[in-house]
Amino acid sequence: MRIFLLCLLLAVNSAFAQEVDQSEQTTLEFPDSAFLKLKEVYSKSIEEKDHVTTGISLQKMGNICYYLGNYPQALEYHLKADKIFREQNRKDLLAANLNDMGILYYYNRQIPIARKEYDEALSIYKQSGDGEGLAVTYGKIGHLYEKSAKYDSAFSYQRKALLQYSNLAKKQGMAKIYENIGSIYEDLAKFDSAYYYYSHAYDLYEQEHESVASIEVLNNLGDIFRKTGRYNEALIRTREALLLAEKTNDLYEKGAAYRDLGKTYALMQQKDSAYLYAELSRKATIDIYSLENNRQTAFLSVLFDINKKDAEIIGLEHTRDIHIIITIATIVVIILLLVLGRMVLSRQRLMHATQQQLMQTALENKDLQEDKLRQELEIKGKELASNTLHMIQKNQLLEELKGKLEVMAKDDKRDQKKQIQHVLQQINVSFNHDEYWNEFRDVFEQIHQDFFASLRKKKEDLSHNDVRLAALIKLNMNSKDMATLLAISPDSLRVSRYRLRKKLGLDEGESLSAFIHSL
């Protein structure tokens, strides 16, 4: 991800290229600012009819959307860029954009389409003799096969990529392919071979002073040592990765290092250290989640403002056209009035004033309708929050009553015990069959339209509890409140989340929350 962001704003080869030249740090930390700069270049290129720059701007805006996890918007930008590059016969730019689209189709689980995009890019690079383009594409196809557990094909394409990079003496590219091959061997539990390739990758990254890329390789080497029982060496490598991650303020790799240290200490039976690093890993995960949320929120705000401004521009252009038409009509009317006399002039002026009043009234009505829609949405949001809070409070109260009644049920008085057990059964039934779930669903669907339909498209045989759990995840509710609402224990909630992941066919490492939020 970071590799393409290094060059994200340096590829625009036009009169506006200078305007998008941003530093790597700015692009990584402030993608919303980078997006705004690209949007300015995009708008100017349209005015100047610079089609190539328009396509490149769209492609790079798509890359930023991909970095922020907004895959549908990213694909929309890349498809527009694809059309422009084909019309302009810019096959070099088309091939790079096809590779970007292949990644998006892969993450959307459209593997055959992803392979089709890669194959077309491969064909273009072969015709042009672009060795580096071939290397990049071979590597992407190899990655595709690795994730499909087709390891022979994965090895074949990664070695083709390595050969291309070697011929070009591109050490950074060679290092990445070594890292990819090491990953395949690690999947196959061939740890000696994995260690060999990871070590080569690390050496090349060090020669190129690629400290950020080195961190992940060091973590991978630590994994290899841990998996082969060489715990002290594992600790050394992982601590090196941690120091580099802290130096570069890389939250992702810092969290990975904490997690690996926790695992290693756990295997060494050093429980205090294992707990310490597991807790640090958990906190790092929370920081990453918060950072990603802030970035996505800022970006969505920028996207909303851009769309709003575009709509305003269209409205102003429409108003300008209307004014031109009215001006022309007025001139014609004046000429006619001069001929027809004062009576006709007076009548036409009245009609003109009436038209203006009608237009003003229509605009005011439109503003009132928009205000009403916003108010209704706010009311629905408050109603959803109120219903959710009510259910949480009610379930907490029932849980408290249930606990007290269980204590009373231990009394030896038989009649009292029988009555209390009957009440407990009623409370348990209340947990699972509450009419408030229906009200919750009605309000939820009004705010998150088509969410349940999209979820059912992914998996038709989801249970009611699966659907409820997905809705609560969509609301960013914490685990404690979700367990209370579903009337289950935290352990049962973890099992429910695991089963939902399985039903949705998510790979290991894929975020259930991210998947739910993408619907």
Side-chain angles (χ1 to χ4, degrees), residues 86-337:
R86 291 182 191 277
E87 290 173 349
Q88 300 300 312
N89 197 30
R90 288 299 303 268
K91 292 188 175 181
D92 53 335
L93 300 174
L94 175 63
N97 191 60
L98 286 167
N99 275 338
D100 290 341
M101 291 168 65
I103 294 173
L104 285 166
Y105 282 122
Y106 164 73
Y107 279 107
N108 283 330
R109 301 177 177 276
Q110 296 175 285
I111 305 300
I113 301 179
R115 180 59 198 271
K116 176 176 173 292
E117 303 297 306
Y118 290 147
D119 284 342
E120 186 177 356
L122 206 60
S123 175
I124 293 171
Y125 286 133
K126 286 179 179 178
Q127 291 175 9
S128 64
D130 187 338
E132 188 168 1
L134 282 172
V136 170
T137 311
Y138 282 140
K140 291 181 183 297
I141 296 174
H143 178 75
L144 205 65
Y145 278 121
E146 179 188 354
K147 295 307 177 182
S148 301
K150 297 179 180 179
Y151 296 114
D152 289 341
S153 297
F155 276 127
S156 175
Y157 279 97
Q158 294 293 356
R159 284 172 178 144
K160 287 181 180 180
L162 184 60
L163 178 61
Q164 292 293 330
Y165 280 127
S166 299
N167 291 337
L168 296 168
K170 294 282 187 179
K171 291 184 179 181
Q172 185 173 327
M174 292 169 62
K176 184 60 183 175
I177 300 304
Y178 278 133
E179 188 179 351
N180 291 346
I181 295 174
S183 174
I184 298 172
Y185 275 120
E186 187 175 359
D187 289 346
L188 294 171
K190 295 182 178 181
F191 299 122
D192 289 342
S193 297
Y195 174 78
Y196 172 83
Y197 283 99
Y198 282 146
S199 296
H200 274 59
Y202 178 72
D203 291 341
L204 289 173
Y205 281 138
E206 285 288 284
Q207 292 175 28
E208 294 295 297
H209 305 290
E210 287 290 339
S211 58
V212 174
S214 300
I215 301 172
E216 185 175 356
V217 179
L218 284 169
N219 272 327
N220 289 334
L221 287 169
D223 284 343
I224 296 300
F225 285 130
R226 187 182 71 252
K227 290 175 181 178
T228 54
R230 299 156 69 182
Y231 301 136
N232 288 327
E233 292 171 280
L235 290 174
I236 292 171
R237 288 295 189 181
T238 308
R239 282 176 180 147
E240 289 178 11
L242 179 59
L243 286 174
L244 276 175
E246 289 174 340
K247 183 178 179 180
T248 57
N249 196 29
D250 190 325
L251 286 177
Y252 296 93
E253 295 302 338
K254 189 159 62 172
Y258 285 145
R259 183 175 60 254
D260 290 346
L261 286 169
K263 291 179 180 179
T264 304
Y265 277 120
L267 291 170
M268 296 173 71
Q269 302 300 315
Q270 296 184 26
K271 296 182 179 179
D272 289 344
S273 296
Y275 175 79
L276 171 65
Y277 284 106
E279 184 64 16
L280 289 173
S281 173
R282 184 186 69 81
K283 291 179 179 178
T285 301
I286 293 173
D287 290 341
I288 291 169
Y289 180 76
S290 176
L291 177 64
E292 289 300 320
N293 270 352
N294 291 338
R295 283 179 177 174
Q296 291 193 17
T297 300
F299 177 70
L300 289 174
S301 177
V302 168
L303 206 58
F304 174 79
D305 289 340
I306 289 173
N307 291 335
K308 183 179 178 181
K309 288 178 181 177
D310 288 343
E312 289 175 353
I313 290 171
I314 293 172
L316 289 172
E317 289 175 348
H318 181 63
T319 303
R320 182 189 62 190
D321 292 340
I322 291 175
H323 287 164
I324 291 172
I325 293 171
I326 292 174
T327 301
I328 294 172
T330 302
I331 293 172
V332 173
V333 168
I334 290 172
I335 294 172
L336 291 174
L337 289 173

Side-chain angles (χ1 to χ4, degrees), residues 57-69:
S57 299
L58 286 166
Q59 180 189 6
K60 300 311 171 187
M61 286 192 290
N63 286 339
I64 292 178
C65 291
Y66 163 67
Y67 168 65
L68 292 171

